[in-house]
Amino acid sequence: MMLKLISWNVNGLRAAVGKGFADTFKALDADCFCLQETKLQAGQLDLAFDGYHSYWNHADRKGYSGTAIYSRQQPITVTYGLGIDEHDHEGRVITLELPQCYLVCCYTPNSQDQLRRLDYRMTWDDAFRDYLLRLDEHKPVIACGDLNVAHEPIDLKNPKTNHHNAGFTDQERDKMTTLLQSGFTDSWRHFYPDLPDVYSWWSYRFSARAKNAGWRIDYFLVSNRLVPQMRAAKIHTNILGSDHCPVELDIDL
């Protein structure tokens, strides 16, 4: 069965709804639609779509972080967070257990200006990798979301000037390398290993999107044993409504 999976950091779902989110959701027609940075509390927005179940993980702090998944298929189980209190107050992870795999929606913490949250980010990256590996012992994993790292210089417009900035530090990149080496594949680079100038996030400043001065920080990662079942990876750079654009994985499961 072919599944179309979408992941999108909407930078505030209420704001995105005012920018045509519902039309985009329907046009993309995904089987599972994963959202990051919903910036919602429970009860703030009632956004249902016919034929979809929805699952929400809200941050304790108002107007901050948050994830959601809309799924046509009713999952076997739903898990919120990593099961570690230190990491489970910002609504950053939802896991659906499907018959064929686990689908994990993640909004990775940003290391922030002056890298003031880099130490925490390192702890998070280790915990998230361990979590995925535990899942992978039972079923293959598809992990998607805004992982807040451009892995290689090809993944951002200005690697030299951003070398020590949040999202492109050696430490963050090394953690992504370690994650991939532990048994996961970056679906976009599998299909397009050398394709430059395709990004998923652009700063709202300096007309960055018009200049395509972007970063590729939104991913679908898959357990290596799912690689033969991948059919396509897409980055929908033409879709507006957020400072990120949706990314897609089509896979036979």
Side-chain angles (χ1 to χ4, degrees):
M1 179 174 65
M2 173 78 82
L3 287 184
K4 178 178 182 177
L5 310 175
I6 292 284
S7 176
W8 193 10
N9 178 322
V10 291
N11 192 25
L13 186 54
R14 285 173 294 176
V17 166
K19 299 174 183 176
F21 174 81
D23 290 337
T24 300
F25 183 97
K26 291 169 185 174
L28 285 169
D29 193 32
D31 295 292
C32 293
F33 205 121
C34 300
L35 305 179
Q36 303 87 41
E37 208 170 356
T38 52
K39 297 184 179 179
L40 290 176
Q41 304 304 119
Q44 280 190 316
L45 183 69
D46 183 15
L47 187 63
F49 293 97
D50 288 345
Y52 288 89
H53 309 275
S54 66
Y55 307 93
W56 302 82
N57 195 1
H58 306 294
D60 294 352
R61 178 176 149 195
K62 289 184 178 179
Y64 179 72
S65 188
T67 47
I69 303 179
Y70 288 90
S71 176
R72 284 189 169 125
Q73 193 172 5
Q74 187 160 12
I76 298 167
T77 61
V78 183
T79 306
Y80 300 95
L82 300 179
I84 302 170
D85 186 70
E86 176 187 9
H87 300 309
D88 286 351
H89 291 273
E90 296 182 350
R92 292 188 176 275
V93 175
I94 303 175
T95 302
L96 303 190
E97 181 187 357
L98 303 175
Q100 315 91 331
C101 68
Y102 290 102
L103 176 64
V104 182
C105 172
C106 177
Y107 178 39
T108 298
N110 189 299
S111 294
Q112 303 290 342
D113 295 336
Q114 284 81 52
L115 304 180
R116 62 183 184 272
R117 234 186 163 195
L118 181 62
D119 289 346
Y120 173 68
R121 167 64 176 271
M122 296 294 96
T123 304
W124 167 278
D125 282 345
D126 289 343
F128 186 62
R129 183 180 66 254
D130 290 346
Y131 177 73
L132 296 185
L133 288 172
R134 286 197 304 275
L135 293 178
D136 191 65
E137 292 174 1
H138 302 283
K139 289 182 180 180
V141 174
I142 301 172
C144 69
D146 174 0
L147 303 187
N148 259 317
V149 61
H151 184 218
E152 300 290 354
I154 194 176
D155 294 316
L156 72 168
K157 187 70 166 185
N158 298 305
K160 290 182 180 177
T161 55
N162 282 297
H163 180 197
H164 298 294
N165 290 343
F168 198 60
T169 62
D170 293 341
Q171 297 97 314
E172 291 164 307
R173 295 172 62 201
D174 286 349
K175 292 292 187 187
M176 175 59 90
T177 298
T178 301
L179 174 58
L180 295 173
Q181 289 177 346
S182 67
F184 297 93
T185 295
D186 174 352
S187 60
W188 175 259
R189 284 291 167 228
H190 171 78
F191 288 105
Y192 306 104
D194 304 310
L195 184 63
D197 302 323
V198 182
Y199 308 118
S200 65
W201 174 78
W202 305 261
S203 170
Y204 278 135
R205 296 180 292 174
F206 314 121
S207 303
R209 193 157 188 172
K211 299 173 184 173
N212 197 31
W215 301 49
R216 189 180 70 93
I217 58 176
D218 300 270
Y219 295 82
F220 273 96
L221 308 180
V222 306
S223 296
N224 286 343
R225 62 192 183 279
L226 288 179
V227 167
Q229 293 157 247
M230 295 195 302
R231 294 294 170 258
K234 301 174 186 176
I235 298 180
H236 293 278
T237 56
N238 60 317
I239 294 180
L240 305 178
S242 169
D243 52 349
H244 295 250
C245 74
V247 297
E248 177 179 337
L249 175 65
D250 300 342
I251 188 166
D252 276 327
L253 289 174

